[in-house]
Amino acid sequence: MNDVTPGDCPNFRPTKMGLSPLPGDGPRRITLDEWDTRYAELRAGGLGEPDYGGPLRRHVLDGDRRLLRLGMDNSAAALRLWNFLLTEEDRLRRADDQGRTIVAAIKDLGTVPVMAYALPGVVAFYPDGAWWLPCIMEHGTRLLEVADSLGIDDSFCPVRAMLGALVTGRHFPRPGLITCSVGAVCDDVSAIAGRLPGLGFRVLWWEVPHRRRPEPGEKAVRLPGGFVAPAAHVALVKAELQRVRAALADYAEQPLTDERLAAGIARANVVRRLLGELRRLGFGAPRCPLPALELLIAEMLALHFCSDLGETIAVLEELLVEVRRRVAAGAGVLPADAVRVFWVNPVADLRVMNLLEDAGGRICGTEDLFCHALHRIPTRLPPMEALARMVLADPMVGSAADRAAYVCRQIRRFGAQAAVISRIPGASHCATEGAVIAETIRRRIGIPVLEIEVPPITDALEPALRTRLDALVETARRSGE
Ligand code: SF4
Protein backbone atom coordinates (compact mmCIF):
# COMPACT_ATOMS: atom_id res chain seq x y z
CA MET A 1 0.00 0.00 0.00
CA ASN A 2 1.11 3.56 -0.71
CA ASP A 3 4.11 2.30 -2.59
CA VAL A 4 4.45 5.33 -4.81
CA THR A 5 8.00 6.23 -5.74
CA PRO A 6 9.25 9.52 -7.18
CA GLY A 7 9.50 7.83 -10.55
CA ASP A 8 5.76 7.09 -10.48
CA CYS A 9 4.90 10.73 -10.13
CA PRO A 10 4.09 12.55 -13.35
CA ASN A 11 5.52 15.77 -11.89
CA PHE A 12 8.76 14.24 -10.70
CA ARG A 13 11.79 15.42 -12.58
CA PRO A 14 15.17 14.32 -11.29
CA THR A 15 17.54 17.21 -10.88
CA LYS A 16 21.28 17.51 -11.19
CA MET A 17 21.23 20.87 -9.45
CA GLY A 18 23.59 20.96 -6.51
CA LEU A 19 24.13 17.22 -6.45
CA SER A 20 27.89 17.23 -6.83
CA PRO A 21 29.89 16.83 -3.61
CA LEU A 22 30.31 20.07 -1.75
CA PRO A 23 33.72 21.65 -1.94
CA GLY A 24 35.55 22.79 1.14
CA ASP A 25 34.22 22.39 4.62
CA GLY A 26 31.75 19.82 5.90
CA PRO A 27 28.11 20.24 6.87
CA ARG A 28 27.41 23.02 9.34
CA ARG A 29 25.15 25.96 10.02
CA ILE A 30 26.34 29.29 8.67
CA THR A 31 25.23 32.91 8.92
CA LEU A 32 23.86 34.97 6.08
CA ASP A 33 27.24 36.74 5.74
CA GLU A 34 28.89 33.35 5.37
CA TRP A 35 26.23 32.39 2.86
CA ASP A 36 27.31 35.32 0.63
CA THR A 37 30.76 33.73 0.31
CA ARG A 38 29.38 30.23 0.13
CA TYR A 39 27.03 31.17 -2.69
CA ALA A 40 29.87 32.65 -4.73
CA GLU A 41 31.91 29.48 -4.16
CA LEU A 42 29.07 27.21 -5.22
CA ARG A 43 28.39 29.24 -8.34
CA ALA A 44 32.08 29.26 -9.22
CA GLY A 45 32.01 25.48 -8.73
CA GLY A 46 29.29 25.13 -11.37
CA LEU A 47 26.12 25.10 -9.27
CA GLY A 48 23.00 25.06 -11.43
CA GLU A 49 19.86 26.67 -10.05
CA PRO A 50 16.16 26.77 -10.90
CA ASP A 51 14.61 30.05 -12.04
CA TYR A 52 13.85 31.05 -8.43
CA GLY A 53 17.49 30.53 -7.39
CA GLY A 54 19.96 33.21 -6.36
CA PRO A 55 21.80 34.47 -3.29
CA LEU A 56 19.87 34.43 -0.02
CA ARG A 57 20.89 38.04 0.64
CA ARG A 58 18.30 39.34 -1.86
CA HIS A 59 15.48 38.12 0.40
CA VAL A 60 16.73 40.38 3.18
CA LEU A 61 16.63 43.28 0.76
CA ASP A 62 13.00 42.28 0.08
CA GLY A 63 12.22 42.52 3.79
CA ASP A 64 12.90 38.99 5.11
CA ARG A 65 15.14 40.41 7.82
CA ARG A 66 14.98 37.43 10.15
CA LEU A 67 17.50 35.66 7.91
CA LEU A 68 20.14 37.97 9.40
CA ARG A 69 19.65 36.23 12.77
CA LEU A 70 19.47 32.64 11.60
CA GLY A 71 22.07 29.93 11.25
CA MET A 72 21.32 28.00 8.06
CA ASP A 73 22.59 24.77 6.62
CA ASN A 74 25.47 25.31 4.19
CA SER A 75 24.45 22.84 1.47
CA ALA A 76 23.29 23.65 -2.04
CA ALA A 77 20.19 21.59 -1.28
CA ALA A 78 19.37 23.90 1.66
CA LEU A 79 19.97 26.95 -0.53
CA ARG A 80 17.39 25.63 -2.95
CA LEU A 81 14.95 24.88 -0.10
CA TRP A 82 15.22 28.41 1.29
CA ASN A 83 14.92 30.01 -2.14
CA PHE A 84 11.87 27.88 -2.88
CA LEU A 85 10.21 28.87 0.39
CA LEU A 86 11.00 32.56 0.09
CA THR A 87 9.80 32.95 -3.50
CA GLU A 88 6.30 31.61 -2.97
CA GLU A 89 4.72 35.02 -3.19
CA ASP A 90 6.30 35.53 -6.64
CA ARG A 91 5.02 32.13 -7.70
CA LEU A 92 1.48 32.91 -6.65
CA ARG A 93 1.54 36.30 -8.38
CA ARG A 94 2.83 34.66 -11.55
CA ALA A 95 0.10 32.03 -11.40
CA ASP A 96 -2.47 34.80 -10.99
CA ASP A 97 -1.01 36.76 -13.92
CA GLN A 98 -1.21 33.62 -16.03
CA GLY A 99 -4.89 33.36 -15.25
CA ARG A 100 -4.57 30.14 -13.27
CA THR A 101 -7.28 29.22 -10.81
CA ILE A 102 -6.19 30.09 -7.27
CA VAL A 103 -7.81 28.54 -4.22
CA ALA A 104 -7.07 29.51 -0.65
CA ALA A 105 -7.60 26.75 1.89
CA ILE A 106 -7.85 27.66 5.57
CA LYS A 107 -7.23 25.43 8.55
CA ASP A 108 -7.57 21.80 7.49
CA LEU A 109 -3.78 21.79 6.88
CA GLY A 110 -3.18 19.02 4.41
CA THR A 111 -6.31 17.78 2.62
CA VAL A 112 -8.02 20.42 0.48
CA PRO A 113 -4.78 21.25 -1.41
CA VAL A 114 -4.42 17.57 -2.32
CA MET A 115 -7.87 17.81 -3.93
CA ALA A 116 -7.20 21.17 -5.57
CA TYR A 117 -3.86 20.13 -7.10
CA ALA A 118 -5.63 17.12 -8.61
CA LEU A 119 -7.23 19.60 -11.03
CA PRO A 120 -4.94 20.67 -13.89
CA GLY A 121 -3.93 24.33 -13.68
CA VAL A 122 -5.23 24.90 -10.14
CA VAL A 123 -2.96 26.35 -7.45
CA ALA A 124 -3.90 26.11 -3.78
CA PHE A 125 -2.27 27.71 -0.77
CA TYR A 126 -2.91 28.25 2.94
CA PRO A 127 -3.31 31.92 3.91
CA ASP A 128 -2.66 30.55 7.44
CA GLY A 129 0.99 30.42 6.35
CA ALA A 130 1.07 34.18 7.01
CA TRP A 131 1.49 32.94 10.61
CA TRP A 132 5.27 33.20 10.05
CA LEU A 133 5.38 36.58 8.27
CA PRO A 134 5.74 38.68 11.47
CA CYS A 135 8.80 36.54 12.26
CA ILE A 136 10.40 36.34 8.81
CA MET A 137 9.87 40.06 8.20
CA GLU A 138 10.50 41.08 11.82
CA HIS A 139 7.13 42.83 12.01
CA GLY A 140 8.05 44.89 8.93
CA THR A 141 4.78 43.92 7.21
CA ARG A 142 2.52 45.60 9.77
CA LEU A 143 -0.01 42.84 9.16
CA LEU A 144 -0.70 42.56 12.87
CA GLU A 145 -1.61 46.24 13.01
CA VAL A 146 -4.14 45.67 10.22
CA ALA A 147 -5.60 42.76 12.18
CA ASP A 148 -5.71 45.00 15.27
CA SER A 149 -7.70 47.58 13.32
CA LEU A 150 -10.25 44.87 12.49
CA GLY A 151 -10.68 43.91 16.13
CA ILE A 152 -8.38 40.89 16.03
CA ASP A 153 -5.79 41.90 18.59
CA ASP A 154 -2.92 40.10 20.31
CA SER A 155 -5.29 38.00 22.38
CA PHE A 156 -5.30 35.84 19.21
CA CYS A 157 -2.45 33.70 17.95
CA PRO A 158 -0.09 34.91 15.16
CA VAL A 159 -2.48 33.43 12.60
CA ARG A 160 -4.19 36.83 12.78
CA ALA A 161 -1.48 37.97 10.33
CA MET A 162 -3.55 36.04 7.76
CA LEU A 163 -6.35 38.59 8.09
CA GLY A 164 -3.93 41.46 7.43
CA ALA A 165 -2.45 39.64 4.44
CA LEU A 166 -5.85 38.88 2.90
CA VAL A 167 -7.14 42.41 3.39
CA THR A 168 -4.04 44.20 2.10
CA GLY A 169 -3.39 41.72 -0.73
CA ARG A 170 0.31 42.39 -0.16
CA HIS A 171 1.54 38.82 0.14
CA PHE A 172 -0.66 36.77 -2.13
CA PRO A 173 -3.27 37.43 -4.80
CA ARG A 174 -6.88 37.75 -3.77
CA PRO A 175 -8.30 34.21 -4.06
CA GLY A 176 -11.58 33.76 -5.91
CA LEU A 177 -12.50 30.90 -3.58
CA ILE A 178 -11.59 30.28 0.04
CA THR A 179 -12.38 26.98 1.72
CA CYS A 180 -12.41 26.93 5.50
CA SER A 181 -13.09 24.04 7.86
CA VAL A 182 -15.31 24.76 10.84
CA GLY A 183 -16.47 22.80 13.87
CA ALA A 184 -13.40 21.25 15.47
CA VAL A 185 -11.12 24.22 14.82
CA CYS A 186 -9.44 26.61 17.22
CA ASP A 187 -11.31 29.71 18.35
CA ASP A 188 -8.62 31.87 16.73
CA VAL A 189 -9.22 30.71 13.18
CA SER A 190 -12.93 30.55 13.78
CA ALA A 191 -13.08 34.21 14.86
CA ILE A 192 -10.68 35.44 12.17
CA ALA A 193 -12.23 33.56 9.26
CA GLY A 194 -15.66 34.69 10.42
CA ARG A 195 -14.68 38.22 9.41
CA LEU A 196 -13.94 37.29 5.80
CA PRO A 197 -17.43 37.18 4.19
CA GLY A 198 -18.12 40.66 5.57
CA LEU A 199 -14.91 41.84 3.90
CA GLY A 200 -16.08 40.60 0.51
CA PHE A 201 -14.40 37.18 0.35
CA ARG A 202 -16.22 34.13 -1.00
CA VAL A 203 -15.88 31.37 1.59
CA LEU A 204 -17.02 27.76 1.38
CA TRP A 205 -17.44 26.52 4.95
CA TRP A 206 -17.24 22.80 5.57
CA GLU A 207 -17.58 20.97 8.82
CA VAL A 208 -15.22 18.69 10.70
CA PRO A 209 -16.70 17.19 13.88
CA HIS A 210 -14.74 16.94 17.09
CA ARG A 211 -13.19 13.46 16.93
CA ARG A 212 -14.48 11.55 19.91
CA ARG A 213 -13.52 8.04 20.95
CA PRO A 214 -15.95 5.42 19.61
CA GLU A 215 -18.42 4.08 22.13
CA PRO A 216 -18.38 0.36 23.02
CA GLY A 217 -19.84 -1.60 20.11
CA GLU A 218 -19.85 1.42 17.80
CA LYS A 219 -18.37 0.89 14.36
CA ALA A 220 -14.92 2.49 14.36
CA VAL A 221 -12.15 3.28 11.90
CA ARG A 222 -8.42 3.34 12.64
CA LEU A 223 -6.93 6.42 10.99
CA PRO A 224 -3.47 7.00 9.50
CA GLY A 225 -1.22 7.92 12.43
CA GLY A 226 -3.10 5.75 14.93
CA PHE A 227 -6.12 7.77 16.09
CA VAL A 228 -9.49 6.02 16.04
CA ALA A 229 -12.77 7.65 14.99
CA PRO A 230 -16.39 6.54 14.83
CA ALA A 231 -17.25 5.41 11.31
CA ALA A 232 -20.15 7.89 11.41
CA HIS A 233 -17.63 10.73 11.67
CA VAL A 234 -15.79 9.50 8.60
CA ALA A 235 -19.09 9.39 6.70
CA LEU A 236 -19.95 12.93 7.82
CA VAL A 237 -16.58 14.33 6.74
CA LYS A 238 -16.80 12.47 3.46
CA ALA A 239 -20.13 14.16 2.74
CA GLU A 240 -18.64 17.54 3.63
CA LEU A 241 -15.65 16.93 1.38
CA GLN A 242 -18.07 16.11 -1.44
CA ARG A 243 -19.28 19.71 -1.15
CA VAL A 244 -15.67 20.91 -1.28
CA ARG A 245 -15.10 18.72 -4.32
CA ALA A 246 -18.15 20.18 -6.10
CA ALA A 247 -17.08 23.74 -5.26
CA LEU A 248 -13.54 23.18 -6.55
CA ALA A 249 -14.82 21.60 -9.77
CA ASP A 250 -17.32 24.40 -10.26
CA TYR A 251 -14.73 27.11 -9.63
CA ALA A 252 -12.14 25.47 -11.89
CA GLU A 253 -14.79 24.61 -14.50
CA GLN A 254 -13.59 21.03 -14.84
CA PRO A 255 -14.67 17.75 -13.28
CA LEU A 256 -12.82 16.46 -10.23
CA THR A 257 -13.15 12.75 -10.94
CA ASP A 258 -12.09 9.85 -8.75
CA GLU A 259 -9.30 9.16 -11.27
CA ARG A 260 -7.95 12.69 -10.90
CA LEU A 261 -8.22 12.47 -7.13
CA ALA A 262 -6.35 9.16 -7.08
CA ALA A 263 -3.55 10.65 -9.20
CA GLY A 264 -3.44 13.70 -6.89
CA ILE A 265 -3.20 11.45 -3.86
CA ALA A 266 -0.33 9.53 -5.48
CA ARG A 267 1.58 12.79 -6.03
CA ALA A 268 0.94 13.94 -2.46
CA ASN A 269 2.18 10.56 -1.25
CA VAL A 270 5.46 11.07 -3.10
CA VAL A 271 5.98 14.22 -1.02
CA ARG A 272 5.01 12.38 2.17
CA ARG A 273 7.28 9.44 1.40
CA LEU A 274 10.26 11.76 0.83
CA LEU A 275 9.50 13.60 4.07
CA GLY A 276 9.12 10.32 5.91
CA GLU A 277 12.60 9.31 4.84
CA LEU A 278 14.05 12.74 5.68
CA ARG A 279 12.50 12.54 9.13
CA ARG A 280 13.66 8.97 9.69
CA LEU A 281 17.26 9.90 8.88
CA GLY A 282 17.12 13.34 10.47
CA PHE A 283 15.81 12.01 13.78
CA GLY A 284 17.48 8.62 13.79
CA ALA A 285 20.98 8.92 12.32
CA PRO A 286 23.82 8.72 14.90
CA ARG A 287 24.99 12.22 13.84
CA CYS A 288 22.28 14.79 13.05
CA PRO A 289 22.49 15.21 9.27
CA LEU A 290 20.24 18.27 8.86
CA PRO A 291 19.55 21.22 11.16
CA ALA A 292 16.14 21.46 12.82
CA LEU A 293 15.35 24.65 10.93
CA GLU A 294 15.71 23.13 7.47
CA LEU A 295 13.81 20.02 8.53
CA LEU A 296 10.94 22.17 9.81
CA ILE A 297 10.80 24.07 6.53
CA ALA A 298 10.88 20.83 4.56
CA GLU A 299 7.96 19.50 6.63
CA MET A 300 5.99 22.67 5.94
CA LEU A 301 6.15 21.92 2.22
CA ALA A 302 3.73 19.05 2.84
CA LEU A 303 0.90 21.49 3.56
CA HIS A 304 0.31 23.04 0.14
CA PHE A 305 3.54 22.22 -1.65
CA CYS A 306 4.67 25.86 -1.52
CA SER A 307 2.42 26.47 -4.54
CA ASP A 308 4.30 24.07 -6.85
CA LEU A 309 3.91 20.36 -6.24
CA GLY A 310 6.41 19.21 -8.86
CA GLU A 311 9.11 21.54 -7.57
CA THR A 312 8.40 20.49 -3.98
CA ILE A 313 9.25 16.92 -4.97
CA ALA A 314 12.45 18.04 -6.70
CA VAL A 315 13.52 20.16 -3.70
CA LEU A 316 12.90 17.33 -1.24
CA GLU A 317 14.61 14.78 -3.46
CA GLU A 318 17.76 16.92 -3.57
CA LEU A 319 17.65 17.44 0.18
CA LEU A 320 17.33 13.71 0.71
CA VAL A 321 20.33 13.03 -1.51
CA GLU A 322 22.36 15.45 0.63
CA VAL A 323 21.14 13.89 3.88
CA ARG A 324 21.85 10.37 2.68
CA ARG A 325 25.35 11.39 1.65
CA ARG A 326 26.02 12.88 5.07
CA VAL A 327 24.64 9.84 6.88
CA ALA A 328 26.73 7.49 4.72
CA ALA A 329 29.83 9.57 5.51
CA GLY A 330 29.02 9.67 9.23
CA ALA A 331 28.91 13.46 8.95
CA GLY A 332 26.56 15.75 10.82
CA VAL A 333 25.83 19.35 11.66
CA LEU A 334 25.91 18.83 15.44
CA PRO A 335 28.16 17.05 17.93
CA ALA A 336 27.55 13.31 18.23
CA ASP A 337 26.44 13.64 21.86
CA ALA A 338 23.67 16.16 21.18
CA VAL A 339 20.66 15.43 23.39
CA ARG A 340 17.65 14.04 21.53
CA VAL A 341 14.65 16.36 21.97
CA PHE A 342 11.05 15.91 20.86
CA TRP A 343 9.39 19.22 19.92
CA VAL A 344 5.67 19.94 20.29
CA ASN A 345 4.07 22.86 18.34
CA PRO A 346 5.64 25.04 15.66
CA VAL A 347 7.85 27.90 16.84
CA ALA A 348 6.54 31.36 16.00
CA ASP A 349 10.21 32.48 15.85
CA LEU A 350 12.30 30.20 13.64
CA ARG A 351 15.44 31.29 15.49
CA VAL A 352 14.45 29.12 18.45
CA MET A 353 15.34 26.06 16.37
CA ASN A 354 18.91 27.41 16.33
CA LEU A 355 18.80 28.08 20.06
CA LEU A 356 17.98 24.48 20.88
CA GLU A 357 20.97 23.29 18.88
CA ASP A 358 23.22 25.94 20.42
CA ALA A 359 22.18 24.57 23.81
CA GLY A 360 23.38 21.08 22.87
CA GLY A 361 20.10 19.56 21.70
CA ARG A 362 18.98 18.04 18.43
CA ILE A 363 15.45 17.51 17.22
CA CYS A 364 14.34 13.88 17.32
CA GLY A 365 10.66 14.04 16.49
CA THR A 366 8.11 16.80 16.07
CA GLU A 367 4.37 17.30 16.34
CA ASP A 368 3.84 20.69 14.78
CA LEU A 369 0.00 20.57 14.58
CA PHE A 370 0.03 19.02 11.11
CA CYS A 371 1.22 15.44 11.50
CA HIS A 372 -1.76 14.33 9.40
CA ALA A 373 -0.13 16.05 6.41
CA LEU A 374 2.91 13.80 6.84
CA HIS A 375 1.19 10.41 7.00
CA ARG A 376 0.62 8.58 3.73
CA ILE A 377 -2.89 8.77 2.35
CA PRO A 378 -4.37 5.26 1.97
CA THR A 379 -4.47 4.28 -1.69
CA ARG A 380 -6.52 1.10 -1.37
CA LEU A 381 -9.62 3.02 -0.38
CA PRO A 382 -11.89 5.11 -2.60
CA PRO A 383 -10.25 8.57 -2.75
CA MET A 384 -12.95 10.46 -0.86
CA GLU A 385 -13.00 7.87 1.92
CA ALA A 386 -9.20 8.10 2.18
CA LEU A 387 -9.26 11.91 2.29
CA ALA A 388 -12.00 11.95 4.94
CA ARG A 389 -9.85 9.71 7.14
CA MET A 390 -6.90 12.10 6.71
CA VAL A 391 -9.03 15.03 7.86
CA LEU A 392 -9.95 13.18 11.04
CA ALA A 393 -6.30 12.19 11.58
CA ASP A 394 -5.62 15.87 12.39
CA PRO A 395 -4.22 15.99 15.95
CA MET A 396 -6.16 19.20 16.59
CA VAL A 397 -9.66 17.86 15.91
CA GLY A 398 -9.55 15.45 18.85
CA SER A 399 -8.89 15.75 22.56
CA ALA A 400 -5.67 16.97 24.16
CA ALA A 401 -5.39 13.51 25.76
CA ASP A 402 -5.39 11.86 22.32
CA ARG A 403 -2.76 14.28 21.10
CA ALA A 404 -0.65 13.62 24.20
CA ALA A 405 -0.87 9.88 23.56
CA TYR A 406 0.24 10.42 19.96
CA VAL A 407 3.19 12.51 21.13
CA CYS A 408 4.21 9.74 23.56
CA ARG A 409 4.10 7.13 20.78
CA GLN A 410 6.36 9.34 18.66
CA ILE A 411 8.76 9.98 21.55
CA ARG A 412 9.15 6.22 22.00
CA ARG A 413 9.56 5.71 18.27
CA PHE A 414 12.41 8.22 17.96
CA GLY A 415 13.97 7.59 21.37
CA ALA A 416 13.85 11.22 22.52
CA GLN A 417 15.57 12.00 25.85
CA ALA A 418 13.63 15.21 26.56
CA ALA A 419 10.64 17.13 25.25
CA VAL A 420 9.87 20.79 24.67
CA ILE A 421 6.33 22.08 24.50
CA SER A 422 6.47 25.37 22.71
CA ARG A 423 3.41 27.44 23.54
CA ILE A 424 2.05 29.88 20.98
CA PRO A 425 1.11 33.33 22.32
CA GLY A 426 -2.63 33.88 22.26
CA ALA A 427 -3.39 30.42 20.88
CA SER A 428 -6.71 29.32 22.34
CA HIS A 429 -5.68 25.67 22.74
CA CYS A 430 -2.30 26.32 24.35
CA ALA A 431 -3.53 27.53 27.72
CA THR A 432 -4.40 24.05 28.96
CA GLU A 433 -3.23 21.61 26.31
CA GLY A 434 0.48 22.08 27.05
CA ALA A 435 -0.03 21.06 30.67
CA VAL A 436 -1.96 17.92 29.63
CA ILE A 437 0.75 16.89 27.19
CA ALA A 438 3.59 17.66 29.61
CA GLU A 439 1.97 15.68 32.43
CA THR A 440 1.30 12.71 30.13
CA ILE A 441 4.89 12.62 28.89
CA ARG A 442 6.27 12.76 32.44
CA ARG A 443 3.94 10.02 33.65
CA ARG A 444 4.24 7.65 30.70
CA ILE A 445 7.82 8.21 29.51
CA GLY A 446 9.56 9.81 32.46
CA ILE A 447 11.77 12.19 30.48
CA PRO A 448 12.30 15.87 31.37
CA VAL A 449 9.78 18.24 29.79
CA LEU A 450 10.12 21.98 29.32
CA GLU A 451 7.25 24.35 28.52
CA ILE A 452 8.21 27.65 26.93
CA GLU A 453 6.32 30.39 25.14
CA VAL A 454 7.73 31.55 21.80
CA PRO A 455 6.52 34.86 20.35
CA PRO A 456 7.27 35.79 16.69
CA ILE A 457 10.47 37.63 17.73
CA THR A 458 12.30 36.27 20.76
CA ASP A 459 15.34 38.58 20.83
CA ALA A 460 14.43 40.17 24.17
CA LEU A 461 13.75 36.75 25.69
CA GLU A 462 16.71 34.97 24.17
CA PRO A 463 18.95 34.83 27.27
CA ALA A 464 16.11 33.40 29.38
CA LEU A 465 15.08 30.91 26.69
CA ARG A 466 18.66 29.81 26.22
CA THR A 467 19.12 29.28 29.96
CA ARG A 468 16.01 27.12 30.13
CA LEU A 469 17.05 25.06 27.10
CA ASP A 470 20.55 24.68 28.56
CA ALA A 471 19.01 23.40 31.79
CA LEU A 472 16.78 20.93 29.94
CA VAL A 473 19.69 19.52 27.95
CA GLU A 474 21.83 19.24 31.06
CA THR A 475 19.04 17.52 33.00
CA ALA A 476 18.48 15.04 30.16
CA ARG A 477 22.21 14.31 30.00
CA ARG A 478 22.42 13.65 33.73
CA SER A 479 19.33 11.45 33.78
CA GLY A 480 20.86 9.34 31.00
CA GLU A 481 24.10 8.74 32.96
S1 SF4 B 1 -1.45 27.90 16.16
FE1 SF4 B 1 -3.16 27.04 17.30
S2 SF4 B 1 -4.52 28.78 17.69
FE2 SF4 B 1 -3.12 29.38 16.05
S3 SF4 B 1 -4.17 28.89 14.13
FE3 SF4 B 1 -2.91 27.12 14.64
S4 SF4 B 1 -4.26 25.75 15.81
FE4 SF4 B 1 -5.21 27.80 15.78
Side-chain angles (χ1 to χ4, degrees):
M1 145 174 190
N2 299 335
D3 50 351
V4 181
T5 67
D8 296 327
C9 173
N11 274 348
F12 177 66
R13 36 186 198 281
T15 173
K16 296 273 187 249
M17 286 181 263
L19 290 187
S20 55
L22 292 167
D25 51 5
R28 65 190 178 97
R29 286 179 1 208
I30 58 177
T31 63
L32 191 74
D33 284 347
E34 291 172 296
W35 249 117
D36 290 341
T37 310
R38 181 77 174 146
Y39 182 75
E41 284 171 3
L42 288 169
R43 289 293 292 179
L47 174 76
E49 290 187 278
D51 59 359
Y52 55 80
L56 294 177
R57 173 74 57 182
R58 75 205 150 109
H59 302 298
V60 177
L61 303 176
D62 285 345
D64 298 338
R65 295 186 52 77
R66 202 60 180 154
L67 297 188
L68 293 166
R69 295 275 292 153
L70 299 179
M72 293 167 279
D73 186 81
N74 66 343
S75 66
L79 171 73
R80 185 174 182 180
L81 175 72
W82 278 105
N83 273 328
F84 184 49
L85 175 79
L86 297 173
T87 53
E88 185 179 12
E89 291 180 11
D90 303 337
R91 225 166 2 264
L92 280 169
R93 297 264 177 232
R94 196 164 57 239
D96 196 38
D97 292 345
Q98 292 167 347
R100 296 178 68 181
T101 304
I102 298 181
V103 176
I106 295 180
K107 193 64 191 99
D108 68 278
L109 295 183
T111 304
V112 169
V114 174
M115 300 172 72
Y117 279 98
L119 284 163
V122 173
V123 176
F125 73 102
Y126 280 106
D128 329 21
W131 203 90
W132 265 294
L133 284 173
C135 165
I136 290 281
M137 304 190 76
E138 295 195 336
H139 293 306
T141 58
R142 312 200 61 75
L143 297 181
L144 299 182
E145 285 81 349
V146 176
D148 281 342
S149 71
L150 293 165
I152 304 292
D153 61 17
D154 60 7
S155 62
F156 293 86
C157 101
V159 80
R160 67 197 182 100
M162 163 177 76
L163 186 59
L166 280 165
V167 168
T168 60
R170 252 183 246 144
H171 295 280
F172 32 75
R174 188 181 176 94
L177 174 66
I178 297 176
T179 68
C180 182
S181 60
V182 297
V185 302
C186 58
D187 293 348
D188 305 63
V189 162
S190 185
I192 294 165
R195 296 294 312 262
L196 296 178
L199 294 166
F201 291 93
R202 177 185 164 202
V203 184
L204 176 87
W205 309 101
W206 61 283
E207 181 159 3
V208 181
H210 174 78
R211 188 191 60 236
R212 61 171 169 80
R213 294 194 178 157
E215 290 168 6
E218 185 178 19
K219 195 169 172 206
V221 176
R222 182 164 291 280
L223 306 168
F227 295 126
V228 178
H233 278 185
V234 178
L236 190 157
V237 173
K238 195 170 147 189
E240 288 296 287
L241 282 181
Q242 290 288 6
R243 293 199 304 110
V244 175
R245 175 189 198 164
L248 290 172
D250 182 52
Y251 179 48
E253 298 181 339
Q254 38 181 332
L256 183 47
T257 61
D258 273 2
E259 290 70 28
R260 280 182 165 165
L261 283 171
I265 287 171
R267 287 193 291 275
N269 275 341
V270 174
V271 172
R272 295 173 187 215
R273 187 190 65 76
L274 291 167
L275 282 169
E277 184 65 359
L278 270 176
R279 282 164 59 87
R280 189 182 69 78
L281 293 171
F283 302 153
R287 295 279 309 274
C288 176
L290 190 67
L293 188 47
E294 278 72 17
L295 194 51
L296 172 63
I297 292 168
E299 288 179 353
M300 280 154 48
L301 300 188
L303 299 181
H304 66 260
F305 317 119
C306 214
S307 302
D308 186 337
L309 200 161
E311 193 60 27
T312 286
I313 291 171
V315 167
L316 293 177
E317 181 75 6
E318 185 172 331
L319 206 53
L320 187 54
V321 167
E322 180 63 34
V323 164
R324 282 184 175 142
R325 177 169 40 224
R326 291 175 178 184
V327 172
V333 288
L334 299 172
D337 66 346
V339 164
R340 306 163 69 82
V341 176
F342 191 93
W343 200 277
V344 180
N345 292 338
V347 280
D349 184 356
L350 297 172
R351 174 150 171 74
V352 174
M353 293 286 89
N354 287 168
L355 281 188
L356 172 75
E357 293 177 342
D358 293 345
R362 69 176 272 195
I363 291 287
C364 284
T366 55
E367 205 304 88
D368 285 331
L369 307 172
F370 57 81
C371 60
H372 56 303
L374 301 173
H375 295 300
R376 306 273 190 98
I377 306 170
T379 53
R380 289 188 181 161
L381 297 170
M384 294 302 284
E385 168 81 16
L387 291 167
R389 292 189 187 192
M390 296 316 298
V391 169
L392 284 163
D394 182 340
M396 301 304 289
V397 306
S399 67
D402 276 2
R403 189 171 177 226
Y406 177 87
V407 165
C408 287
R409 288 198 295 277
Q410 297 296 308
I411 287 173
R412 287 202 180 95
R413 178 180 168 204
F414 295 118
Q417 300 163 271
V420 175
I421 297 168
S422 164
R423 286 199 306 266
I424 301 155
S428 46
H429 55 94
C430 279
T432 54
E433 182 192 54
V436 172
I437 296 174
E439 196 277 325
T440 307
I441 296 172
R442 289 189 187 106
R443 182 166 37 83
R444 293 195 187 176
I445 316 261
I447 56 176
V449 184
L450 173 65
E451 275 194 81
I452 54 175
E453 181 160 289
V454 178
I457 299 293
T458 55
D459 294 352
L461 301 173
E462 188 167 317
L465 278 176
R466 176 64 196 268
T467 302
R468 299 188 70 195
L469 290 168
D470 282 342
L472 177 78
V473 166
E474 188 57 30
T475 305
R477 267 195 221 289
R478 291 205 176 161
S479 48
E481 286 171 359

